[in-house]
Every structure is written in C-alpha cells, then in structure tokens.
Amino acid sequence: YYDAYLNDLLDRLEARDLASRSLLVIVSDHGDRVKASSATNYRVPLLIVGQTVCPGMDESFRSHLDLQSIVISCLSGDAMPAPRSRVYVVGSTERWVYGVISGGGQHLFLDDVTGRVLSHCGSLDPSEVQEGFQTTLDEFGIRFGR
C-alpha cells in the first residue's frame, strides 16, 4: 500500500516538475499495538530524500522530538542533534503503558493503571521511571498549558 502511494506521489511531483525542489520526509508508524511494552516497537525508521540531501545512515539514539533538527541538519549540513541518553514513551491506545528507553538499550515499561512492570531490560528502577515520567508531563503542562 505505502509503496504504491509513494510511487504515485513521486510520479505526480515529476509530472509537475517539482521533484528536484521537493523534500520527502518519510516516517514509519510504530509497530504492533498489541506489543506496547516491547522496546523494539518504538524503533521508528526515518528516510529523508531530496536533491540536496547527502546519502548517509545514522543509527544514533534520537526521538521524534529531534525531527525538526534532523531535517535542518540534512538541508544545511549542520551537525545532527546530539543523541539522547533516554526517551520517555507512551504505548498505544490498545494498552496504556508508559516507560523509558535508554540509548544504551535499557528499557522499562509500566502499566498505567496498576503500575505493574510489564517489561524491562537492565537496572532501571520503576519508581524512578514513574517519577521522571511524571516530571516530564508536568514540565510539558507548564510549557504548553494544561
């Protein structure tokens, strides 16, 4: 489905002589909603295609929060944003979970209702993850309104 959609988009850009002036930022959806407590579910590929974008691959640990800086980097040649040490995440609507994934591969996911640990790898402390997640929510609320 996506292949046909993308090829149709490219054909239309070329037909209108816009392909050489277009920047395509292609972001995948997260994985299986049923696996909301699986860290691999949050690995989201990103593809940026454009006339001035240099080919390359970067596997550093970043977040959707870095998307603007990543695109600017691709267009300007400036340095990529620094990799993150950790990212707080919220699971799918299938099952409300939240947690943290670290750049080093550790992760911990908690059930939003019970607080029960659903998945973990490494030595992250559930109470510290809960506190850090709540702090992040509070800071978001202060910055953008409740």
Side-chain angles (χ1 to χ4, degrees):
Y1 171 77
Y2 293 109
D3 184 55
Y5 176 76
L6 183 57
N7 282 318
D8 183 50
L9 174 64
L10 291 172
D11 290 343
R12 289 171 187 242
L13 288 171
E14 288 175 4
R16 291 173 175 81
D17 199 30
L18 296 173
S20 66
R21 298 182 298 158
S22 297
L23 179 73
L24 299 178
V25 179
I26 304 163
V27 181
S28 174
D29 192 3
H30 292 283
D32 189 345
R33 291 180 183 208
V34 177
K35 298 178 182 175
S37 60
S38 171
T40 58
N41 221 37
Y42 298 88
R43 184 179 170 97
V44 179
L46 170 67
L47 177 65
I48 300 176
V49 180
Q51 198 75 322
T52 61
V53 177
C54 294
M57 182 184 294
D58 185 306
E59 294 190 18
S60 298
F61 187 66
R62 295 196 180 83
S63 157
H64 281 87
L65 299 172
D66 300 313
L67 184 59
Q68 178 180 351
S69 297
I70 291 170
V71 171
I72 289 170
S73 172
C74 288
L75 291 174
S76 69
D78 289 348
M80 291 286 272
R84 293 179 177 264
S85 60
R86 63 174 40 185
V87 174
Y88 289 100
V89 296
V90 177
S92 72
T93 54
E94 187 85 14
R95 179 173 189 183
W96 289 105
V97 303
Y98 66 94
V100 67
I101 303 172
S102 78
Q106 295 188 71
H107 68 269
L108 189 136
F109 291 95
L110 300 165
D111 182 274
D112 182 47
V113 176
T114 66
R116 185 172 62 94
V117 174
L118 299 172
S119 173
H120 74 281
C121 175
S123 59
L124 297 168
D125 179 83
S127 61
E128 290 177 12
V129 170
Q130 191 281 329
E131 184 178 319
F133 187 84
Q134 188 60 54
T135 299
T136 301
L137 286 177
D138 294 343
E139 290 169 355
F140 184 88
I142 291 167
R143 184 171 177 191
F144 297 105
R146 294 187 186 267

